[in-house]
Amino acid sequence: QVQLVESGGELVQSGGSLTLSCVASGFTFSNYEIAWDRRAPGKERELVAEISSGGDRTSYAESVKGRFTISRDNAKNTVYLQMNSLKLEDTAVYYCSVRVFSRLYWGQGTQVTVSS
């Protein structure tokens, strides 16, 4: 079955950097677009970044553009989210997601907390 396992979240100071990882299994990873979403306390889930199956096309939410970079390694079934210049408002649980056969899957998420 489809599994997504996120890691890399931790407590970081404002202005700092983190790299999140998401390891996928249960589907042909290189055939699918992958996204990173986040949910902050009391807020709706927000799409943060997406990457095409081959990794040649990416898109970002305006709130993270220029600070976050999504990438993937299809040989390792892994997608990354490099986060720089972190702000307090980036505090959230971060999830990777994939739509396989019209069904959307998420991992369990990884907590990112940005402190002042």
Side-chain angles (χ1 to χ4, degrees):
Q1 70 276 24
V2 174
Q3 284 193 320
L4 301 167
V5 180
E6 302 93 338
S7 63
E10 61 183 63
L11 175 65
V12 63
Q13 283 197 324
S14 179
S17 297
L18 276 179
T19 298
L20 306 183
S21 300
C22 171
V23 179
S25 60
F27 62 103
T28 306
F29 182 78
S30 58
N31 287 353
Y32 290 90
E33 179 177 288
I34 306 292
W36 280 99
D37 308 324
R38 67 185 180 187
R39 175 167 281 171
K43 294 188 177 181
E44 296 288 321
R45 188 184 292 262
E46 175 188 19
L47 176 62
V48 173
E50 295 177 292
I51 188 165
S52 61
S53 58
D56 56 325
R57 296 188 310 276
T58 58
S59 63
Y60 299 91
E62 284 299 320
S63 58
V64 307
K65 201 172 286 186
R67 299 188 297 121
F68 289 12
T69 302
I70 188 171
S71 62
R72 65 191 295 162
D73 184 339
N74 284 347
K76 295 182 178 179
N77 281 15
T78 302
V79 62
Y80 305 96
L81 186 67
Q82 171 70 42
M83 306 186 294
N84 298 326
S85 302
L86 282 162
K87 304 177 181 180
L88 295 177
E89 53 263 41
D90 294 320
T91 294
V93 179
Y94 285 73
Y95 304 85
C96 60
S97 63
V98 64
R99 188 177 295 277
V100 179
F101 298 122
S102 301
R103 178 176 172 179
L104 192 58
Y105 295 88
W106 286 285
Q108 83 290 345
T110 187
Q111 176 70 50
V112 173
T113 303
V114 183
S115 66
S116 58

